[in-house]
Amino acid sequence: MSNREVYMDHGATTPVREEAVEAMLPFFKELYGNPSSVHSQGRKVRKAFENAREKTAAAIGANPEEIFFTSGGTESNNIALRGAAKRLNKPGHIITSSIEHHAVFDVCRDLEKEGHRVTYLPVDNMGLLDPSRVEDAITAETFIISIMAANNEIGTVQPIEEIGKIAAGHKILFHTDAVQVVGQLPVDVKKMQVDFLSLSGHKFNGPKGVGALYKRKGVKIDPLYHGGGQEKKLRPGTENVPGVVGLSRALELSVEEIPGKKAALEALRDRLIDGLLKIDDVVLNGHPEKRLPGNVNVSFSFIEGESILLSLDMHGIAASSGSACSSGSLDPSHVLSAIGLDHQTAHGSIRFTLGRGNNESDVDYVLEKIPSVVENLRRISPMGKTK
Amino acid sequence: MSNREVYMDHGATTPVREEAVEAMLPFFKELYGNPSSVHSQGRKVRKAFENAREKTAAAIGANPEEIFFTSGGTESNNIALRGAAKRLNKPGHIITSSIEHHAVFDVCRDLEKEGHRVTYLPVDNMGLLDPSRVEDAITAETFIISIMAANNEIGTVQPIEEIGKIAAGHKILFHTDAVQVVGQLPVDVKKMQVDFLSLSGHKFNGPKGVGALYKRKGVKIDPLYHGGGQEKKLRPGTENVPGVVGLSRALELSVEEIPGKKAALEALRDRLIDGLLKIDDVVLNGHPEKRLPGNVNVSFSFIEGESILLSLDMHGIAASSGSACSSGSLDPSHVLSAIGLDHQTAHGSIRFTLGRGNNESDVDYVLEKIPSVVENLRRISPMGKTK
Amino acid sequence: MYNEKVVDHFNNPRNVGELADADAIGETGSFKCGDTMTLYLKVRNGIIEDVRFQTYGCGAAIASSSMLTEMVKGKTLDQALAITNQDVADELGGLPPLKLHCSNLAADALHNAIENYRARQGIGKTG
Amino acid sequence: MYNEKVVDHFNNPRNVGELADADAIGETGSFKCGDTMTLYLKVRNGIIEDVRFQTYGCGAAIASSSMLTEMVKGKTLDQALAITNQDVADELGGLPPLKLHCSNLAADALHNAIENYRARQGIGKTG
Ligand SMILES: Cc1ncc(COP(=O)(O)O)c(C=O)c1O
Ligand SMILES: Cc1ncc(COP(=O)(O)O)c(C=O)c1O
């Protein structure tokens, strides 16, 4: 094993930044009260909790009463989509893309079982959705459109404002899974004209297990869970106060830092992409420009993703792969299939996601190690012998 | 305001114990990986996470693969009840009690809207459920029985093993909301013969926003949320690793300590009860013996709960009330109504819940302060002038 | 939850009790949350000379009752009749939205007391 | 995820490559996960004298391939035929349950190679 550790899997999760940990700590042992309690211990906690809501709202251009805290991006997506479907209370039509995260994609699949009709819009070979396809797919039964702000695997950023305009024009609910975007790119729910937006703390150096759903004021959905009535009954359960405080602090800082960090991260990203493309038989997946600042996704021909990851890991490099061989599913990701990659190219895809703490030397380290990794695996491989 | 702070609201939530905070800390900044990741950062986290699952399982006599981590007691209850209903996929019959927490009670109400029939079994005036009533309520359509292990307001502990025997005899799923019991009293899912058991971290000096559902091996329910497939698809979303680690550490210690702490807590409880009953026109709510070790619930005639809480708070004493006037609902709790309290007695109920850190001097402090609190409020009250 | 003024009126309620020689008594109760209030007035030359209250209810109810008694002392009956529940809450510097309804009993009890006074004096209900 | 032995075989795979003068070649592929393996055998007097492999696949697939080559060298064809996928996984000290299927290609490739050898020698398929 290597002594050096280079974490380039920020798209999977991020370390919690010091300031967020500091912000959380008092809420474990000193300010531990239940925010619903009448006594001063509870009231102090309520105050901090509502302050966190204000910060979260401010970070995305929302009002505090439009923020509902959840256990993460998955729950936010489920509440928005299922909650709208439950409120509709009859079969309807949903428009989404064919490259959504499973927390939207699989929800739609399940809603199909319940009688809803779902249109999974295709994207082009760079992962971009053409907004006119959304317009064309709308029917009288369409009650919600759900399009992710940016893709978690290939990093392609979608034209959300244009889709928002279409949805608003047709008075159809519009949800965006912005889990990969919040904290990375400026987000303004009003400009996007979204009715719902999902975000997740652990993607922007906040804690795991806590997220938020933005729900535009006046938009009504049915709650999925029932209980003590917290979060205006939309998401009951004793509030995860430290988590929410940590999320809001991390979010506040991440958003503040966007002007400074975005170009820097993009420069690192492009340096990595350029270096990787110098290796033979490597292609970039996703869009060359409309791309998350930290996302790099390439396919190496003739070799398989997990074995690349494993070799990188031996060098202390943490990345992820688009093939999910180890997660029980043997098919390549639906995202890579949707952008037209063949089975083998999809299986040879590796995602590096840069984030807070990564620097040029990390990129250079990866670029130094990866040629031999690829060469060794290709030497073992029965494929590509023609070159 | 008082200088002294006496927290007697452990039934609402508890401070996170030092050992649990210590256990969590590494998982924010050092072991921050996603447990689903292939790289060593992720694998180390997976290992710790599965270790936490083992500890949690051991604490309640379960196998690790029977433990599913959730965002709290509310979610655990919802997954069990709704998941079973969803799997049934046709209207069925549910048996529950009339004193369940809202996270069961309101779920049942909602399932009624979806076409299920629910029997809310009455309890006696001490909150005790007669198991024969469960037996009598069973019909051919009954698919699940949900009876809480102990009540959160009045502390009455139910004969779960007897009900478990009945449910098993009829091969009907049996769920128990043990949120108030786990960590307080010994729990063995095998002895209880439950198919599902809900627990919540913040009730036993673990963190908020994390809980677990025990689901007996082989029992099948449909997931409510969809996403990345975590927790064997029953509860998807990036795992709240620090939360789960903190929960498991707190749980392990709480359960270890039961033999030593139970009698001590009961002694404190009874000292408080005895002292309170010396005040005129005070009655104990709940069962005198079959009662959670830390639960005290009394009604003060002629005066209203929130004003008592507020006065106690001025003395630094944190307790809670059965009336939920401040939570938006103006009706007294369904629990106090179910044990036959009239409106006024219910509104004058106060719950003190003792826990870790409370001692005799705390009890004596409460007993020193409360007579004048009650007297002052009674002086203001137009009621009870006859005495 | 409550501001300092509310807490002060709750902790040190003014004019608590009964008036043995009251010229008027007003009672009111909130059907919904069970709060009740009794207000006693001593009236001389159309002016409220003294006032006492008894209230069963939450902090907001007690503080509103106390506040009201301070507001009406020295006022003419017509001036007193003009006091609304909102006035009481405002004078307290505001109440949490969820507790506003709890303050509604104070002005109601006052109006009932004035009615009671006028009935005793043989003056019919106004308006 | 993987134990040390698996990691060793993955990092330092034994007997990688082709055998120009192979007496037999066995190929196999997992339809499901796309892994493929080619095994080359040099056989003398019914004994496997030399062996090489090429594998496209995940860590488990590569390590299993390498492990297999060590297991078969010096074995008679009949002994080699008796080797199962489970034997390979066992010899590696175990594989994660989800990765077991990835190790299934090694013994399959071997069996195919032996079949190929016997076909070349004009000896019919056994069993
Ligand atoms: C009996 C009972 N069930 C369920 C819950 C809900 O747990 P949580 O708030 O952790 O979701 C609570 C506590 O609030 C409880 O006391
Ligand atoms: C685009 C996207 N949506 C949703 C999620 C789910 O978020 P979480 O794991 O916090 O539930 C993720 C990350 O896993 C994601 O990348």
Side-chain angles (χ1 to χ4, degrees):
Chain A
M1 284 290 294
S2 152
N3 286 326
R4 176 149 189 186
E5 297 212 348
V6 173
Y7 186 76
M8 288 203 186
D9 201 12
H10 291 88
T13 194
T14 57
V16 185
R17 58 192 296 163
E18 183 60 36
E19 303 93 325
V21 177
E22 289 299 323
M24 292 167 78
L25 284 180
F27 295 90
F28 292 124
K29 293 192 287 180
E30 296 134 47
L31 290 164
Y32 54 82
N34 190 317
S36 301
S37 294
V38 169
H39 47 67
S40 42
Q41 171 62 242
R43 293 193 320 257
K44 272 185 254 172
V45 173
R46 167 63 59 196
K47 202 166 169 181
F49 191 74
E50 295 307 327
N51 182 255
R53 197 190 304 278
E54 283 163 27
K55 279 187 193 171
T56 304
I60 60 170
N63 299 319
E65 67 269 29
E66 296 176 316
I67 300 296
F68 297 83
F69 289 111
T70 69
S71 65
T74 300
E75 182 167 40
S76 298
N77 287 345
N78 274 269
I79 291 178
L81 287 168
R82 290 183 177 282
K86 189 168 176 184
R87 176 125 195 137
L88 186 68
N89 206 17
K90 61 176 184 197
H93 176 236
I94 300 168
I95 298 172
T96 187
S97 84
S98 50
I99 59 164
E100 297 295 313
H101 187 271
H102 285 284
V104 167
F105 194 75
D106 291 13
V107 173
C108 287
R109 287 260 182 252
D110 196 62
L111 288 172
E112 281 188 89
K113 283 194 213 152
E114 293 179 15
H116 297 279
R117 203 166 64 76
V118 181
T119 301
Y120 301 91
L121 294 174
V123 293
D124 69 16
N125 62 3
M126 293 181 291
L128 209 58
L129 178 68
D130 178 350
S132 73
R133 285 190 183 270
V134 176
E135 178 103 49
D136 293 347
I138 292 173
T139 72
E141 278 69 46
T142 311
F143 67 98
I144 194 164
I145 297 166
S146 181
I147 305 292
M148 70 198 319
N151 184 270
N152 45 305
E153 294 187 35
I154 55 173
T156 305
V157 178
Q158 302 297 346
I160 294 301
E161 290 187 23
E162 290 177 51
I163 301 168
K165 195 181 269 176
I166 293 167
H170 289 267
K171 296 202 165 53
I172 294 170
L173 293 176
F174 180 33
H175 166 253
T176 190
D177 174 350
V179 165
Q180 290 286 338
V181 166
V182 169
Q184 307 299 322
L185 295 172
V187 164
D188 183 325
V189 290
K190 301 280 180 309
K191 271 199 210 144
M192 289 170 138
Q193 298 196 56
V194 290
D195 296 291
F196 307 99
L197 179 144
S198 303
L199 59 90
S200 182
H202 70 103
K203 304 288 188 187
F204 46 76
N205 301 102
K208 292 178 175 61
V210 56
L213 175 66
Y214 159 81
K215 179 173 76 65
R216 196 164 58 74
K217 209 176 164 169
V219 170
K220 290 204 165 30
I221 57 176
D222 277 2
L224 308 176
Y225 288 168
H226 288 73
Q230 292 90 344
E231 298 299 280
K232 289 185 243 158
K233 300 202 171 170
L234 197 59
R235 206 291 187 172
T238 301
E239 297 88 342
N240 179 356
V241 179
V244 162
V245 168
L247 175 147
S248 73
R249 182 76 180 119
L251 180 54
E252 171 181 50
L253 293 168
S254 299
V255 169
E256 256 174 48
E257 289 162 2
I258 289 175
K261 77 183 172 192
K262 184 170 167 285
L265 212 52
E266 283 169 345
L268 287 184
R269 174 194 72 188
D270 295 340
R271 186 183 182 95
L272 182 54
I273 292 175
D274 291 347
L276 290 170
L277 292 180
K278 290 205 182 99
I279 300 170
D280 285 340
D281 300 302
V282 174
V283 291
L284 178 69
N285 299 317
H287 202 282
E289 287 115 41
K290 292 173 183 170
R291 181 172 205 106
L292 285 172
N295 179 287
V296 175
N297 189 311
V298 290
S299 285
F300 298 92
S301 300
F302 319 127
I303 52 180
E304 190 270 346
E306 198 232 71
S307 60
I308 305 173
L309 286 190
L310 215 58
S311 303
L312 288 174
D313 192 45
M314 303 295 164
H315 293 294
I317 300 166
S320 71
S321 89
S323 88
C325 186
S326 60
S327 72
S329 149
L330 303 171
D331 299 321
S333 98
H334 63 288
V335 175
L336 300 178
S337 302
I339 59 169
L341 298 199
D342 61 52
H343 202 277
Q344 209 224 99
T345 311
H347 270 305
S349 111
I350 296 290
R351 179 187 74 171
F352 299 91
T353 35
L354 296 143
R356 194 166 180 271
N358 284 141
N359 52 34
E360 225 168 73
S361 128
D362 291 343
V363 170
D364 293 344
Y365 179 74
V366 172
L367 290 175
E368 177 199 326
K369 295 297 174 192
I370 203 153
S372 68
V373 164
V374 172
E375 199 185 303
N376 285 335
L377 289 170
R378 284 186 176 164
R379 197 172 49 86
I380 307 178
S381 172
M383 298 174 185
K385 272 168 270 181
T386 47
K387 41 165 218 106
Chain B
M1 283 291 294
S2 153
N3 285 326
R4 177 148 187 185
E5 296 212 350
V6 173
Y7 186 75
M8 287 202 184
D9 201 12
H10 291 87
T13 195
T14 57
V16 185
R17 58 192 297 163
E18 183 60 37
E19 303 93 325
V21 176
E22 289 299 323
M24 292 166 78
L25 283 181
F27 295 90
F28 292 125
K29 292 192 288 180
E30 296 134 48
L31 290 163
Y32 54 82
N34 190 318
S36 303
S37 293
V38 169
H39 48 67
S40 42
Q41 171 61 242
R43 294 194 319 260
K44 273 184 252 171
V45 173
R46 167 63 59 197
K47 203 166 170 180
F49 191 74
E50 295 308 326
N51 182 256
R53 197 191 304 278
E54 283 163 27
K55 279 188 192 171
T56 304
I60 60 168
N63 299 319
E65 67 269 29
E66 296 175 317
I67 299 296
F68 298 83
F69 290 111
T70 68
S71 65
T74 299
E75 182 166 41
S76 298
N77 287 345
N78 275 269
I79 291 178
L81 289 168
R82 290 183 176 283
K86 189 169 176 183
R87 176 126 195 136
L88 186 69
N89 206 17
K90 63 179 182 192
H93 176 234
I94 301 168
I95 297 172
T96 188
S97 83
S98 50
I99 59 165
E100 297 296 312
H101 187 270
H102 284 285
V104 166
F105 195 75
D106 290 14
V107 174
C108 288
R109 287 262 184 249
D110 197 61
L111 288 172
E112 281 187 87
K113 283 194 214 153
E114 292 180 14
H116 297 279
R117 203 166 62 77
V118 181
T119 301
Y120 302 90
L121 294 174
V123 294
D124 70 15
N125 63 4
M126 292 181 292
L128 209 57
L129 177 68
D130 179 349
S132 72
R133 285 190 183 270
V134 175
E135 179 102 50
D136 295 347
I138 292 172
T139 72
E141 278 70 45
T142 311
F143 67 97
I144 194 164
I145 297 166
S146 181
I147 304 291
M148 70 198 320
N151 183 270
N152 45 305
E153 293 188 35
I154 55 174
T156 304
V157 177
Q158 303 297 346
I160 294 300
E161 290 187 23
E162 291 177 51
I163 301 167
K165 195 181 268 175
I166 293 166
H170 289 267
K171 295 200 165 55
I172 295 170
L173 293 176
F174 180 33
H175 167 254
T176 190
D177 174 350
V179 166
Q180 289 287 338
V181 165
V182 169
Q184 306 298 323
L185 295 171
V187 164
D188 183 326
V189 291
K190 301 280 180 310
K191 272 199 211 146
M192 288 170 140
Q193 297 196 55
V194 289
D195 296 291
F196 306 101
L197 179 143
S198 303
L199 60 88
S200 182
H202 70 101
K203 304 290 189 186
F204 45 78
N205 301 103
K208 291 178 177 61
V210 56
L213 176 66
Y214 159 82
K215 180 174 75 65
R216 195 164 58 74
K217 210 178 163 169
V219 170
K220 290 202 165 33
I221 57 177
D222 278 1
L224 309 177
Y225 289 168
H226 288 73
Q230 293 90 344
E231 297 301 281
K232 290 184 242 157
K233 300 201 172 172
L234 196 58
R235 206 291 188 173
T238 301
E239 297 88 340
N240 179 356
V241 180
V244 162
V245 168
L247 175 147
S248 73
R249 182 75 180 123
L251 180 54
E252 171 180 49
L253 293 168
S254 298
V255 169
E256 256 174 49
E257 288 163 1
I258 289 175
K261 78 182 170 191
K262 184 171 165 286
L265 212 51
E266 284 169 343
L268 286 185
R269 173 194 73 189
D270 294 341
R271 185 184 182 93
L272 182 55
I273 292 176
D274 291 347
L276 290 170
L277 292 180
K278 288 204 184 101
I279 300 170
D280 285 341
D281 301 302
V282 174
V283 292
L284 178 70
N285 299 316
H287 201 281
E289 287 115 40
K290 292 173 185 171
R291 182 172 203 107
L292 286 171
N295 178 288
V296 175
N297 189 312
V298 290
S299 285
F300 298 92
S301 301
F302 318 128
I303 53 179
E304 190 270 347
E306 196 232 74
S307 59
I308 304 173
L309 287 190
L310 214 58
S311 302
L312 289 172
D313 191 46
M314 304 292 164
H315 293 294
I317 300 165
S320 71
S321 90
S323 88
C325 186
S326 61
S327 71
S329 149
L330 303 170
D331 299 321
S333 98
H334 63 288
V335 175
L336 300 178
S337 301
I339 59 170
L341 298 198
D342 60 52
H343 202 278
Q344 208 224 97
T345 310
H347 270 305
S349 112
I350 296 290
R351 179 187 75 170
F352 299 91
T353 35
L354 296 143
R356 193 165 181 272
N358 283 141
N359 53 33
E360 226 170 72
S361 128
D362 291 343
V363 169
D364 292 345
Y365 178 74
V366 172
L367 291 175
E368 177 199 326
K369 295 299 175 190
I370 203 154
S372 66
V373 164
V374 172
E375 198 185 303
N376 284 335
L377 289 171
R378 284 185 177 164
R379 196 170 51 85
I380 307 177
S381 172
M383 297 173 186
K385 272 168 269 180
T386 47
K387 39 164 222 106
Chain C
M1 179 165 65
Y2 295 130
N3 68 41
E4 271 179 38
K5 190 158 182 185
V6 176
V7 169
D8 177 44
H9 274 274
F10 171 73
N11 272 336
N12 311 294
R14 332 296 199 244
N15 306 306
V16 169
E18 302 176 58
L19 277 179
D21 56 345
D23 298 315
I25 300 180
E27 289 189 321
T28 190
S30 151
F31 174 72
K32 274 178 108 184
C33 65
D35 290 359
T36 61
M37 175 176 181
T38 311
L39 191 75
Y40 302 85
L41 298 182
K42 187 101 201 101
V43 183
R44 184 169 304 185
N45 299 330
I47 285 170
I48 298 172
E49 216 187 53
D50 206 359
V51 55
R52 292 283 186 285
F53 83 91
Q54 288 181 313
T55 291
Y56 165 91
C58 65
I62 291 171
S64 303
S65 305
S66 166
M67 186 75 253
L68 177 93
T69 61
E70 287 210 328
M71 289 167 76
V72 297
K73 227 188 243 181
K75 288 235 164 53
T76 66
L77 291 180
D78 282 336
Q79 285 170 332
L81 259 183
I83 294 174
T84 65
N85 288 317
Q86 189 58 49
D87 292 337
V88 180
D90 289 348
E91 192 70 23
L92 279 169
L95 284 167
L98 281 170
K99 306 297 292 178
L100 260 181
H101 71 92
C102 312
S103 71
N104 285 352
L105 82 184
D108 290 352
L110 171 67
H111 300 172
N112 290 345
I114 296 174
E115 247 177 54
N116 174 260
Y117 177 79
R118 291 188 168 159
R120 286 193 195 186
Q121 305 296 313
I123 308 166
K125 221 175 163 171
T126 48
Chain D
M1 179 164 68
Y2 295 129
N3 68 41
E4 272 179 39
K5 190 158 183 185
V6 176
V7 169
D8 177 44
H9 274 274
F10 171 73
N11 272 337
N12 312 295
R14 332 296 199 244
N15 306 305
V16 170
E18 301 176 58
L19 277 179
D21 56 346
D23 298 315
I25 300 181
E27 290 189 320
T28 190
S30 152
F31 174 72
K32 273 178 110 185
C33 63
D35 290 359
T36 63
M37 174 177 181
T38 310
L39 191 74
Y40 302 84
L41 297 183
K42 186 101 202 100
V43 181
R44 183 169 306 185
N45 300 330
I47 284 171
I48 298 173
E49 216 187 50
D50 206 359
V51 56
R52 293 282 186 286
F53 83 91
Q54 290 182 312
T55 291
Y56 166 89
C58 65
I62 290 170
S64 302
S65 305
S66 166
M67 186 75 252
L68 177 93
T69 62
E70 287 209 329
M71 288 168 77
V72 298
K73 227 189 243 182
K75 287 236 165 51
T76 66
L77 292 180
D78 282 337
Q79 284 170 332
L81 259 183
I83 294 173
T84 64
N85 289 318
Q86 188 59 49
D87 292 338
V88 180
D90 289 348
E91 192 70 23
L92 279 170
L95 284 167
L98 280 172
K99 306 297 294 178
L100 259 180
H101 72 92
C102 312
S103 70
N104 285 352
L105 83 182
D108 289 353
L110 171 66
H111 299 171
N112 290 345
I114 296 175
E115 248 176 54
N116 175 259
Y117 176 77
R118 292 189 167 160
R120 289 194 194 186
Q121 306 295 315
I123 308 167
K125 223 174 162 172
T126 48

